Amino acid sequence: MICQECNQRPATLHFTKIVNGEKTEIHLCEQCAHEKGEMFMFPHQGAFSINNLIAGLLNMDASLKEPKAPSFHNEHILQCEHCKMTYAQFVKVGRFGCASCYETFRTYLPPIFRKLHGGHVAHEGKIPKRVGGTLYVRKQIGQLKQMLQELIAKEQFEKAAEVRDQIRELETKLNAEGGA
Amino acid sequence: MNEYVFFQRALSPWMNEEGPDSDIVLSSRIRLARNMKQYSFPTVFTNEEAMQIIQSFEQLFSQRRLGHIGPFFLLKMNELQSIEKRVLVEKHLISPHLAEDCTFGACLLSEQEEASIMINEEDHIRIQCLFAGFQLKEALKMANALDDWIEQHVDYAFDEKYGYLTSCPTNVGTGLRASVMMHLPGLVLTQQINQVIPAINQLGLVVRGTYGEGSEALGNIFQISNQITLGKSEEDIVEDLTGVVRQLIEQERMAREALVKTSNIQLEDRVYRSYGVLTNSRIIGSKEAAQCLSDVRLGIDLGYITNVPKTILTELMILTQPGFLQKYAGGALRPQERDVRRASLIRERLYQWK
């Protein structure tokens, strides 16, 4: 079998990749496999690490790729200002460089997260008290309001009144913090 | 207490406690991944950044306590011998990645070894809490307490939409990985495990061998953990895993019952043969040792063997790993030498209870 990249050397490496149930077989010579890099590399313990799988996942979606060949217009290259990681590098290593990368690559992230996290794209859990700032209180208010609705529906008005007072208290706190 | 103890004892103190459902669930673990806002993530950070991060932790825990939890000990990877690092990996206190690849890596270990905070691994901070038996909620509570305390002193990288920002996109959101270590000889012997694993995978959970990614399920021990970290609350993630683990416990118990009912004598024979191998062999590989230990542990759970404590499986599984064997031997051992050492160590240990 001949390598499907260079059509010259014999193919010595054979891969099967399955994306959403669709099976593709790839036959490459060692040299082309190295050049293609990405997901065909062999991590040091012989095990196919999650790293490579993610990089593969990011790579497979052509629509996610930034325009190839850096042109004269350097502003087209998406690069994080803080850690200097480019989108192409991110795709290759499957790791963010720093917190700002999330901001820089923001528009590309939802489809990636959707694939990795079973369709989810937004955080639902814990919020750090200090750094999360007002978000923590706002989320608490949201939860209490929902509870209030449920209590009213169940006609448990005494408890509902307690929850309403709690909401008011939090809202005053929020306004005070916001300087309003 | 001296830091040296961490490398000496195979059983972490918390392992001696008998947790709920400990006939099947060996341990429960919670891990939280956190990063600091102002520094690049460990994959690209500079040496200075790495050192600043370690320094800030040295100051933070100068009282040897994090809030009301502690005392803690700080172990820096570049100050440990490679066998010592390996021992910590075998005890699941640090990851292979921290031991092998992180020059500026460090670890804060609690005295009882139930809490371990890895610094400068794939993320700046990885908080890990380990509990005996099936106690995911308790482990989450402790991890949250440590997390809250650290958050008072450190600016976390957090985004309103994406939650806790992590180096790898697979951890973003809660940064939470909840996992349980289960001993499932019944499901393996009745060959149900081959149907069970794919079913678990379909629920968004992952099944692995004892030592994480890509490792074999030695001694019928399986690690089950969540995959999704974004879009679900910490409590829901733990709840979902708990539900599946409950089911597995039921199925394993039923499989064991069925085995006792249909092939009692064969099972007893198997258990005692394995006990015989462990108490008599002069050369034993890690795979065979793990299988025999699993049989003996099953024999203890089913009441065939009464003179050996339950902790034998966990203890000897860890004790007979290459790192520990070499630590006891006081130097590097070739594979054949390890097998001889392993056999004599197991014999000695089991002899205590004869």
Side-chain angles (χ1 to χ4, degrees), chain A residues 45 50 54 82-83 94-99 102 106 110 113 116-117 120-131 135 138, chain B residues 41 43-44 100 122 144 147-148 151-152 154-156 158-164 166-170 173 213 229-231 234:
Chain A
Q45 276 169 341
I50 188 87
I54 296 162
H82 180 257
C83 70
R95 294 281 188 281
F96 292 101
C98 68
Y102 280 84
R106 190 163 280 262
F113 289 166
L116 291 172
H117 297 283
H120 298 289
V121 286
H123 178 54
E124 279 291 335
K126 187 173 179 177
I127 295 163
K129 288 200 183 80
R130 218 167 41 80
V131 178
L135 180 64
R138 276 186 279 147
Chain B
F41 296 157
T43 23
V44 296
E100 286 159 26
E122 189 184 283
N144 270 332
D147 182 41
D148 290 342
E151 205 258 328
Q152 289 172 19
V154 160
D155 284 343
Y156 278 156
F158 182 84
D159 180 271
E160 285 207 6
K161 179 158 188 218
Y162 296 134
Y164 293 94
T166 54
S167 171
C168 184
T170 51
E213 258 167 54
T229 57
L230 184 70
E234 287 78 0

Short mmCIF file of all heavy atoms in Angstrom, two decimals, chain A residues 45 50 54 82-83 94-99 102 106 110 113 116-117 120-131 135 138, chain B residues 41 43-44 100 122 144 147-148 151-152 154-156 158-164 166-170 173 213 229-231 234:
data_model
loop_
_atom_site.label_atom_id
_atom_site.label_comp_id
_atom_site.label_asym_id
_atom_site.label_seq_id
_atom_site.Cartn_x
_atom_site.Cartn_y
_atom_site.Cartn_z
N GLN A 45 4.33 7.25 26.64
CA GLN A 45 4.12 5.97 27.30
C GLN A 45 3.42 4.96 26.42
O GLN A 45 3.01 3.91 26.91
CB GLN A 45 3.36 6.18 28.61
CG GLN A 45 4.33 6.56 29.70
CD GLN A 45 3.62 7.02 30.93
OE1 GLN A 45 2.46 7.38 30.89
NE2 GLN A 45 4.33 7.02 32.03
N ILE A 50 -5.38 11.54 26.13
CA ILE A 50 -6.54 12.38 25.90
C ILE A 50 -6.16 13.64 25.13
O ILE A 50 -6.89 14.14 24.29
CB ILE A 50 -7.23 12.72 27.25
CG1 ILE A 50 -8.56 13.45 27.06
CG2 ILE A 50 -6.33 13.53 28.15
CD1 ILE A 50 -9.73 12.54 26.88
N ILE A 54 -8.04 15.28 21.95
CA ILE A 54 -8.63 16.61 21.89
C ILE A 54 -8.07 17.38 20.71
O ILE A 54 -8.81 17.97 19.93
CB ILE A 54 -8.35 17.39 23.18
CG1 ILE A 54 -9.03 16.70 24.34
CG2 ILE A 54 -8.85 18.82 23.06
CD1 ILE A 54 -8.49 17.13 25.66
N HIS A 82 -1.86 38.03 26.08
CA HIS A 82 -1.16 37.77 27.35
C HIS A 82 -0.07 36.72 27.23
O HIS A 82 1.07 36.97 27.58
CB HIS A 82 -2.17 37.38 28.43
CG HIS A 82 -1.55 37.11 29.76
ND1 HIS A 82 -1.34 35.85 30.24
CD2 HIS A 82 -1.06 37.95 30.70
CE1 HIS A 82 -0.76 35.92 31.42
NE2 HIS A 82 -0.59 37.18 31.73
N CYS A 83 -0.41 35.56 26.67
CA CYS A 83 0.59 34.48 26.65
C CYS A 83 1.14 34.21 25.25
O CYS A 83 1.98 33.33 25.08
CB CYS A 83 0.01 33.20 27.24
SG CYS A 83 -1.23 32.44 26.19
N GLY A 94 -4.09 21.34 22.15
CA GLY A 94 -5.32 21.04 22.88
C GLY A 94 -5.35 21.61 24.28
O GLY A 94 -6.03 21.09 25.16
N ARG A 95 -4.55 22.66 24.52
CA ARG A 95 -4.49 23.29 25.84
C ARG A 95 -4.53 24.81 25.69
O ARG A 95 -3.90 25.35 24.78
CB ARG A 95 -3.17 22.96 26.53
CG ARG A 95 -2.99 21.53 26.89
CD ARG A 95 -3.76 21.21 28.16
NE ARG A 95 -3.46 19.87 28.63
CZ ARG A 95 -3.97 18.77 28.12
NH1 ARG A 95 -4.81 18.83 27.11
NH2 ARG A 95 -3.65 17.59 28.60
N PHE A 96 -5.23 25.49 26.59
CA PHE A 96 -5.18 26.94 26.61
C PHE A 96 -3.87 27.38 27.27
O PHE A 96 -3.32 26.67 28.11
CB PHE A 96 -6.34 27.51 27.43
CG PHE A 96 -7.68 27.29 26.80
CD1 PHE A 96 -8.52 26.28 27.25
CD2 PHE A 96 -8.11 28.10 25.76
CE1 PHE A 96 -9.77 26.09 26.67
CE2 PHE A 96 -9.36 27.91 25.17
CZ PHE A 96 -10.19 26.89 25.63
N GLY A 97 -3.39 28.57 26.90
CA GLY A 97 -2.15 29.07 27.49
C GLY A 97 -2.39 29.83 28.78
O GLY A 97 -1.56 29.84 29.68
N CYS A 98 -3.52 30.53 28.84
CA CYS A 98 -3.81 31.32 30.04
C CYS A 98 -5.30 31.69 30.03
O CYS A 98 -6.01 31.37 29.09
CB CYS A 98 -2.97 32.60 30.06
SG CYS A 98 -3.41 33.77 28.78
N ALA A 99 -5.73 32.37 31.08
CA ALA A 99 -7.14 32.73 31.19
C ALA A 99 -7.59 33.63 30.03
O ALA A 99 -8.72 33.52 29.56
CB ALA A 99 -7.39 33.42 32.52
N TYR A 102 -9.20 32.27 26.67
CA TYR A 102 -10.65 32.03 26.59
C TYR A 102 -11.35 33.24 25.97
O TYR A 102 -12.33 33.10 25.25
CB TYR A 102 -11.22 31.76 27.99
CG TYR A 102 -11.02 30.36 28.48
CD1 TYR A 102 -9.83 29.99 29.09
CD2 TYR A 102 -12.02 29.40 28.35
CE1 TYR A 102 -9.64 28.69 29.57
CE2 TYR A 102 -11.84 28.10 28.82
CZ TYR A 102 -10.66 27.75 29.43
OH TYR A 102 -10.49 26.48 29.89
N ARG A 106 -12.80 33.23 22.06
CA ARG A 106 -14.18 33.07 22.52
C ARG A 106 -15.15 32.58 21.44
O ARG A 106 -15.93 31.67 21.66
CB ARG A 106 -14.69 34.39 23.11
CG ARG A 106 -16.03 34.26 23.83
CD ARG A 106 -16.28 35.45 24.74
NE ARG A 106 -15.57 35.35 26.00
CZ ARG A 106 -16.11 34.91 27.14
NH1 ARG A 106 -17.37 34.55 27.16
NH2 ARG A 106 -15.42 34.82 28.23
N PRO A 110 -17.71 27.71 21.68
CA PRO A 110 -18.95 26.94 21.88
C PRO A 110 -19.02 25.59 21.17
O PRO A 110 -19.35 24.58 21.80
CB PRO A 110 -20.04 27.90 21.42
CG PRO A 110 -19.45 29.25 21.70
CD PRO A 110 -17.99 29.11 21.39
N PHE A 113 -16.73 23.10 23.09
CA PHE A 113 -17.27 22.72 24.39
C PHE A 113 -18.50 21.82 24.24
O PHE A 113 -18.70 20.89 25.00
CB PHE A 113 -17.63 23.96 25.21
CG PHE A 113 -16.42 24.73 25.68
CD1 PHE A 113 -16.55 26.01 26.19
CD2 PHE A 113 -15.16 24.16 25.63
CE1 PHE A 113 -15.44 26.72 26.63
CE2 PHE A 113 -14.04 24.86 26.07
CZ PHE A 113 -14.19 26.14 26.57
N LEU A 116 -17.28 18.36 23.72
CA LEU A 116 -16.61 17.75 24.87
C LEU A 116 -17.54 17.53 26.05
O LEU A 116 -17.32 16.67 26.87
CB LEU A 116 -15.43 18.62 25.32
CG LEU A 116 -14.23 18.71 24.39
CD1 LEU A 116 -13.26 19.76 24.89
CD2 LEU A 116 -13.53 17.36 24.31
N HIS A 117 -18.55 18.38 26.18
CA HIS A 117 -19.35 18.36 27.40
C HIS A 117 -20.82 18.03 27.15
O HIS A 117 -21.72 18.65 27.74
CB HIS A 117 -19.20 19.68 28.15
CG HIS A 117 -17.80 19.93 28.62
ND1 HIS A 117 -17.27 19.29 29.71
CD2 HIS A 117 -16.81 20.70 28.12
CE1 HIS A 117 -16.01 19.68 29.87
NE2 HIS A 117 -15.70 20.52 28.93
N HIS A 120 -23.31 20.93 26.44
CA HIS A 120 -23.34 22.09 27.32
C HIS A 120 -22.33 23.15 26.89
O HIS A 120 -21.24 22.84 26.45
CB HIS A 120 -23.03 21.70 28.76
CG HIS A 120 -24.01 20.73 29.34
ND1 HIS A 120 -25.29 21.11 29.66
CD2 HIS A 120 -23.91 19.41 29.64
CE1 HIS A 120 -25.93 20.05 30.14
NE2 HIS A 120 -25.11 19.01 30.14
N VAL A 121 -22.71 24.43 27.05
CA VAL A 121 -21.76 25.49 26.73
C VAL A 121 -21.62 26.52 27.85
O VAL A 121 -20.83 27.46 27.72
CB VAL A 121 -22.13 26.26 25.44
CG1 VAL A 121 -21.84 25.43 24.21
CG2 VAL A 121 -23.57 26.70 25.46
N ALA A 122 -22.37 26.39 28.93
CA ALA A 122 -22.26 27.39 29.99
C ALA A 122 -22.17 26.72 31.37
O ALA A 122 -22.78 25.68 31.62
CB ALA A 122 -23.45 28.33 29.95
N HIS A 123 -21.39 27.36 32.24
CA HIS A 123 -21.15 26.85 33.58
C HIS A 123 -22.42 26.93 34.43
O HIS A 123 -23.14 27.91 34.39
CB HIS A 123 -20.03 27.67 34.22
CG HIS A 123 -19.70 27.29 35.63
ND1 HIS A 123 -19.39 26.01 35.98
CD2 HIS A 123 -19.62 28.03 36.76
CE1 HIS A 123 -19.13 25.98 37.28
NE2 HIS A 123 -19.26 27.19 37.78
N GLU A 124 -22.65 25.88 35.23
CA GLU A 124 -23.85 25.85 36.07
C GLU A 124 -23.53 25.72 37.55
O GLU A 124 -24.42 25.71 38.37
CB GLU A 124 -24.71 24.64 35.67
CG GLU A 124 -25.58 24.86 34.44
CD GLU A 124 -26.69 25.86 34.70
OE1 GLU A 124 -27.08 26.01 35.87
OE2 GLU A 124 -27.13 26.50 33.74
N GLY A 125 -22.25 25.54 37.87
CA GLY A 125 -21.93 25.16 39.24
C GLY A 125 -21.46 26.30 40.13
O GLY A 125 -21.93 27.44 40.02
N LYS A 126 -20.52 25.96 40.96
CA LYS A 126 -19.99 26.83 42.00
C LYS A 126 -19.46 28.16 41.44
O LYS A 126 -18.94 28.21 40.32
CB LYS A 126 -18.85 26.07 42.69
CG LYS A 126 -18.29 26.75 43.92
CD LYS A 126 -17.31 25.80 44.61
CE LYS A 126 -16.71 26.50 45.83
NZ LYS A 126 -15.80 25.60 46.57
N ILE A 127 -19.62 29.19 42.25
CA ILE A 127 -19.07 30.50 41.89
C ILE A 127 -18.18 30.95 43.03
O ILE A 127 -18.60 30.92 44.19
CB ILE A 127 -20.20 31.52 41.69
CG1 ILE A 127 -21.06 31.12 40.48
CG2 ILE A 127 -19.66 32.92 41.50
CD1 ILE A 127 -22.40 31.79 40.45
N PRO A 128 -16.94 31.33 42.75
CA PRO A 128 -16.07 31.75 43.85
C PRO A 128 -16.62 33.02 44.50
O PRO A 128 -17.03 33.95 43.80
CB PRO A 128 -14.72 32.01 43.17
CG PRO A 128 -15.02 32.17 41.73
CD PRO A 128 -16.27 31.40 41.45
N LYS A 129 -16.65 33.06 45.82
CA LYS A 129 -17.29 34.16 46.53
C LYS A 129 -16.65 35.50 46.23
O LYS A 129 -17.33 36.49 46.00
CB LYS A 129 -17.24 33.90 48.04
CG LYS A 129 -18.18 32.81 48.48
CD LYS A 129 -18.47 32.89 49.96
CE LYS A 129 -19.36 31.73 50.38
NZ LYS A 129 -18.62 30.47 50.59
N ARG A 130 -15.32 35.53 46.22
CA ARG A 130 -14.65 36.82 46.09
C ARG A 130 -14.53 37.24 44.61
O ARG A 130 -15.02 38.28 44.22
CB ARG A 130 -13.26 36.72 46.72
CG ARG A 130 -12.81 37.95 47.46
CD ARG A 130 -11.60 37.62 48.29
NE ARG A 130 -10.67 36.75 47.59
CZ ARG A 130 -9.81 37.17 46.68
NH1 ARG A 130 -9.70 38.44 46.38
NH2 ARG A 130 -9.01 36.32 46.06
N VAL A 131 -13.87 36.39 43.81
CA VAL A 131 -13.63 36.73 42.40
C VAL A 131 -14.95 36.77 41.62
O VAL A 131 -15.13 37.58 40.72
CB VAL A 131 -12.66 35.73 41.75
CG1 VAL A 131 -12.44 36.04 40.29
CG2 VAL A 131 -11.34 35.73 42.50
N LEU A 135 -21.82 38.19 40.82
CA LEU A 135 -22.43 37.04 40.15
C LEU A 135 -22.93 36.03 41.18
O LEU A 135 -23.99 35.44 41.04
CB LEU A 135 -21.42 36.38 39.22
CG LEU A 135 -21.91 35.15 38.44
CD1 LEU A 135 -23.02 35.53 37.48
CD2 LEU A 135 -20.77 34.49 37.69
N ARG A 138 -26.11 37.38 42.60
CA ARG A 138 -27.16 37.35 41.58
C ARG A 138 -27.69 35.94 41.38
O ARG A 138 -28.88 35.72 41.20
CB ARG A 138 -26.62 37.90 40.25
CG ARG A 138 -26.69 39.43 40.19
CD ARG A 138 -26.28 39.92 38.83
NE ARG A 138 -24.84 39.97 38.71
CZ ARG A 138 -24.16 39.75 37.58
NH1 ARG A 138 -24.81 39.43 36.48
NH2 ARG A 138 -22.86 39.85 37.54
N PHE B 41 -0.92 29.50 32.23
CA PHE B 41 -1.10 28.14 32.71
C PHE B 41 0.23 27.36 32.60
O PHE B 41 1.07 27.70 31.77
CB PHE B 41 -2.17 27.42 31.88
CG PHE B 41 -3.55 28.03 32.00
CD1 PHE B 41 -4.50 27.83 31.00
CD2 PHE B 41 -3.89 28.79 33.11
CE1 PHE B 41 -5.78 28.39 31.11
CE2 PHE B 41 -5.17 29.34 33.23
CZ PHE B 41 -6.10 29.15 32.22
N THR B 43 1.31 24.87 31.08
CA THR B 43 1.82 24.41 29.78
C THR B 43 2.75 25.44 29.14
O THR B 43 3.65 25.07 28.40
CB THR B 43 0.68 24.13 28.78
OG1 THR B 43 -0.47 24.88 29.18
CG2 THR B 43 0.36 22.68 28.71
N VAL B 44 2.54 26.74 29.42
CA VAL B 44 3.38 27.75 28.77
C VAL B 44 4.06 28.72 29.75
O VAL B 44 4.81 29.59 29.32
CB VAL B 44 2.56 28.59 27.75
CG1 VAL B 44 2.08 27.72 26.62
CG2 VAL B 44 1.41 29.30 28.41
N GLU B 100 6.74 13.07 36.76
CA GLU B 100 7.71 12.89 35.69
C GLU B 100 8.06 14.16 34.92
O GLU B 100 9.19 14.35 34.51
CB GLU B 100 7.19 11.84 34.69
CG GLU B 100 7.28 10.43 35.24
CD GLU B 100 6.34 9.49 34.51
OE1 GLU B 100 6.02 9.75 33.34
OE2 GLU B 100 5.91 8.50 35.14
N GLU B 122 -0.92 20.20 35.51
CA GLU B 122 -1.47 20.75 34.27
C GLU B 122 -2.15 22.09 34.55
O GLU B 122 -2.19 22.98 33.70
CB GLU B 122 -2.47 19.76 33.69
CG GLU B 122 -2.95 20.12 32.32
CD GLU B 122 -4.01 19.14 31.86
OE1 GLU B 122 -3.63 18.03 31.48
OE2 GLU B 122 -5.19 19.50 31.87
N ASN B 144 -14.37 21.32 48.76
CA ASN B 144 -14.97 22.65 48.71
C ASN B 144 -14.43 23.54 49.83
O ASN B 144 -14.17 24.72 49.62
CB ASN B 144 -16.49 22.56 48.82
CG ASN B 144 -17.14 22.44 47.46
OD1 ASN B 144 -16.60 22.92 46.46
ND2 ASN B 144 -18.29 21.79 47.39
N ASP B 147 -11.02 24.59 48.86
CA ASP B 147 -11.16 25.52 47.74
C ASP B 147 -11.58 26.90 48.24
O ASP B 147 -10.99 27.92 47.86
CB ASP B 147 -12.21 24.94 46.78
CG ASP B 147 -12.39 25.80 45.54
OD1 ASP B 147 -11.38 26.27 45.00
OD2 ASP B 147 -13.55 25.98 45.13
N ASP B 148 -12.58 26.94 49.13
CA ASP B 148 -13.07 28.22 49.66
C ASP B 148 -11.96 28.95 50.41
O ASP B 148 -11.81 30.16 50.30
CB ASP B 148 -14.25 27.99 50.62
CG ASP B 148 -15.49 27.53 49.88
OD1 ASP B 148 -15.54 27.72 48.65
OD2 ASP B 148 -16.40 26.98 50.53
N GLU B 151 -9.44 30.32 48.00
CA GLU B 151 -10.01 31.42 47.22
C GLU B 151 -9.97 32.75 47.98
O GLU B 151 -9.96 33.82 47.37
CB GLU B 151 -11.46 31.09 46.82
CG GLU B 151 -11.93 31.81 45.58
CD GLU B 151 -12.84 33.01 45.87
OE1 GLU B 151 -13.59 32.97 46.86
OE2 GLU B 151 -12.79 33.98 45.10
N GLN B 152 -9.96 32.69 49.29
CA GLN B 152 -9.87 33.93 50.06
C GLN B 152 -8.51 34.62 49.86
O GLN B 152 -8.37 35.81 50.09
CB GLN B 152 -10.04 33.64 51.56
CG GLN B 152 -11.45 33.26 51.94
CD GLN B 152 -11.52 32.79 53.38
OE1 GLN B 152 -10.63 33.07 54.18
NE2 GLN B 152 -12.57 32.08 53.71
N VAL B 154 -6.32 33.89 46.99
CA VAL B 154 -5.79 33.78 45.63
C VAL B 154 -6.87 34.23 44.65
O VAL B 154 -8.04 33.93 44.84
CB VAL B 154 -5.40 32.30 45.37
CG1 VAL B 154 -5.32 32.01 43.90
CG2 VAL B 154 -4.11 31.94 46.07
N ASP B 155 -6.48 34.99 43.60
CA ASP B 155 -7.46 35.37 42.57
C ASP B 155 -7.58 34.26 41.54
O ASP B 155 -6.69 34.04 40.73
CB ASP B 155 -7.03 36.67 41.88
CG ASP B 155 -7.29 37.88 42.75
OD1 ASP B 155 -8.09 37.76 43.70
OD2 ASP B 155 -6.70 38.94 42.48
N TYR B 156 -8.71 33.56 41.57
CA TYR B 156 -8.92 32.47 40.62
C TYR B 156 -9.27 33.00 39.23
O TYR B 156 -9.90 34.05 39.10
CB TYR B 156 -10.07 31.58 41.09
CG TYR B 156 -9.72 30.54 42.12
CD1 TYR B 156 -10.69 30.04 42.97
CD2 TYR B 156 -8.42 30.02 42.23
CE1 TYR B 156 -10.41 29.05 43.92
CE2 TYR B 156 -8.13 29.05 43.17
CZ TYR B 156 -9.11 28.57 44.01
OH TYR B 156 -8.83 27.60 44.93
N PHE B 158 -11.71 32.89 36.65
CA PHE B 158 -13.11 32.49 36.60
C PHE B 158 -13.85 33.37 35.60
O PHE B 158 -13.61 34.56 35.51
CB PHE B 158 -13.74 32.63 38.00
CG PHE B 158 -15.19 32.20 38.05
CD1 PHE B 158 -15.52 30.88 38.22
CD2 PHE B 158 -16.21 33.14 37.93
CE1 PHE B 158 -16.85 30.48 38.26
CE2 PHE B 158 -17.54 32.75 37.96
CZ PHE B 158 -17.86 31.42 38.12
N ASP B 159 -14.72 32.75 34.83
CA ASP B 159 -15.45 33.47 33.79
C ASP B 159 -16.95 33.26 34.03
O ASP B 159 -17.38 32.17 34.38
CB ASP B 159 -15.05 32.86 32.43
CG ASP B 159 -15.75 33.54 31.27
OD1 ASP B 159 -16.87 33.10 30.90
OD2 ASP B 159 -15.18 34.50 30.73
N GLU B 160 -17.72 34.34 33.86
CA GLU B 160 -19.16 34.25 34.14
C GLU B 160 -19.83 33.15 33.34
O GLU B 160 -20.72 32.46 33.80
CB GLU B 160 -19.86 35.58 33.85
CG GLU B 160 -19.58 36.61 34.90
CD GLU B 160 -20.71 37.63 35.01
OE1 GLU B 160 -21.74 37.46 34.34
OE2 GLU B 160 -20.53 38.59 35.76
N LYS B 161 -19.39 33.03 32.07
CA LYS B 161 -20.05 32.03 31.23
C LYS B 161 -19.43 30.65 31.37
O LYS B 161 -20.13 29.66 31.47
CB LYS B 161 -19.98 32.47 29.77
CG LYS B 161 -20.64 31.46 28.86
CD LYS B 161 -21.06 32.01 27.53
CE LYS B 161 -21.88 30.96 26.79
NZ LYS B 161 -21.59 30.96 25.36
N TYR B 162 -18.09 30.58 31.36
CA TYR B 162 -17.42 29.29 31.33
C TYR B 162 -17.00 28.75 32.68
O TYR B 162 -16.46 27.65 32.77
CB TYR B 162 -16.23 29.35 30.38
CG TYR B 162 -16.64 29.59 28.95
CD1 TYR B 162 -15.99 30.52 28.16
CD2 TYR B 162 -17.70 28.87 28.40
CE1 TYR B 162 -16.38 30.75 26.84
CE2 TYR B 162 -18.10 29.09 27.09
CZ TYR B 162 -17.44 30.03 26.32
OH TYR B 162 -17.83 30.25 25.03
N GLY B 163 -17.20 29.52 33.74
CA GLY B 163 -16.85 29.01 35.07
C GLY B 163 -15.36 29.06 35.34
O GLY B 163 -14.68 29.97 34.89
N TYR B 164 -14.86 28.03 36.05
CA TYR B 164 -13.43 27.98 36.36
C TYR B 164 -12.67 27.64 35.10
O TYR B 164 -12.97 26.66 34.43
CB TYR B 164 -13.17 26.94 37.45
CG TYR B 164 -13.76 27.32 38.79
CD1 TYR B 164 -15.02 26.87 39.17
CD2 TYR B 164 -13.07 28.17 39.64
CE1 TYR B 164 -15.57 27.24 40.38
CE2 TYR B 164 -13.61 28.54 40.86
CZ TYR B 164 -14.87 28.08 41.23
OH TYR B 164 -15.40 28.45 42.43
N THR B 166 -9.67 26.36 32.92
CA THR B 166 -8.62 25.35 33.10
C THR B 166 -7.76 25.26 31.85
O THR B 166 -8.15 25.70 30.78
CB THR B 166 -9.24 23.96 33.35
OG1 THR B 166 -10.16 23.68 32.29
CG2 THR B 166 -9.97 23.93 34.68
N SER B 167 -6.61 24.65 32.03
CA SER B 167 -5.67 24.50 30.93
C SER B 167 -6.29 23.66 29.81
O SER B 167 -6.23 24.00 28.64
CB SER B 167 -4.41 23.85 31.50
OG SER B 167 -3.54 23.49 30.51
N CYS B 168 -6.91 22.56 30.18
CA CYS B 168 -7.50 21.67 29.18
C CYS B 168 -9.00 21.93 29.06
O CYS B 168 -9.69 22.02 30.07
CB CYS B 168 -7.26 20.22 29.58
SG CYS B 168 -7.85 19.06 28.36
N PRO B 169 -9.50 22.05 27.82
CA PRO B 169 -10.93 22.31 27.65
C PRO B 169 -11.84 21.22 28.23
O PRO B 169 -13.02 21.47 28.44
CB PRO B 169 -11.11 22.43 26.14
CG PRO B 169 -9.85 21.99 25.52
CD PRO B 169 -8.78 22.06 26.55
N THR B 170 -11.30 20.05 28.52
CA THR B 170 -12.14 18.99 29.08
C THR B 170 -12.46 19.19 30.56
O THR B 170 -13.26 18.45 31.13
CB THR B 170 -11.47 17.60 28.97
OG1 THR B 170 -10.16 17.71 29.51
CG2 THR B 170 -11.41 17.12 27.56
N GLY B 173 -15.30 24.78 33.53
CA GLY B 173 -16.60 24.79 34.21
C GLY B 173 -16.40 24.58 35.70
O GLY B 173 -15.97 25.48 36.40
N GLU B 213 -5.66 6.91 33.01
CA GLU B 213 -5.74 6.78 31.57
C GLU B 213 -4.91 5.63 31.01
O GLU B 213 -3.72 5.53 31.26
CB GLU B 213 -5.20 8.06 30.93
CG GLU B 213 -6.28 8.98 30.45
CD GLU B 213 -5.68 10.33 30.14
OE1 GLU B 213 -4.72 10.37 29.36
OE2 GLU B 213 -6.18 11.32 30.69
N THR B 229 -17.68 18.31 32.67
CA THR B 229 -17.44 19.22 33.78
C THR B 229 -18.18 20.54 33.60
O THR B 229 -18.25 21.35 34.50
CB THR B 229 -15.94 19.54 33.92
OG1 THR B 229 -15.47 20.09 32.68
CG2 THR B 229 -15.13 18.30 34.23
N LEU B 230 -18.72 20.76 32.41
CA LEU B 230 -19.37 22.03 32.10
C LEU B 230 -20.88 21.84 31.97
O LEU B 230 -21.34 20.88 31.37
CB LEU B 230 -18.81 22.58 30.78
CG LEU B 230 -19.28 23.96 30.31
CD1 LEU B 230 -18.73 25.05 31.20
CD2 LEU B 230 -18.84 24.21 28.86
N GLY B 231 -21.64 22.78 32.54
CA GLY B 231 -23.09 22.75 32.35
C GLY B 231 -23.84 21.94 33.39
O GLY B 231 -25.06 21.80 33.31
N GLU B 234 -21.76 20.90 40.63
CA GLU B 234 -20.93 19.92 41.34
C GLU B 234 -21.81 18.84 41.97
O GLU B 234 -21.51 17.65 41.88
CB GLU B 234 -20.11 20.59 42.45
CG GLU B 234 -18.95 21.45 41.97
CD GLU B 234 -19.36 22.82 41.46
OE1 GLU B 234 -20.57 23.13 41.47
OE2 GLU B 234 -18.49 23.58 41.03
#
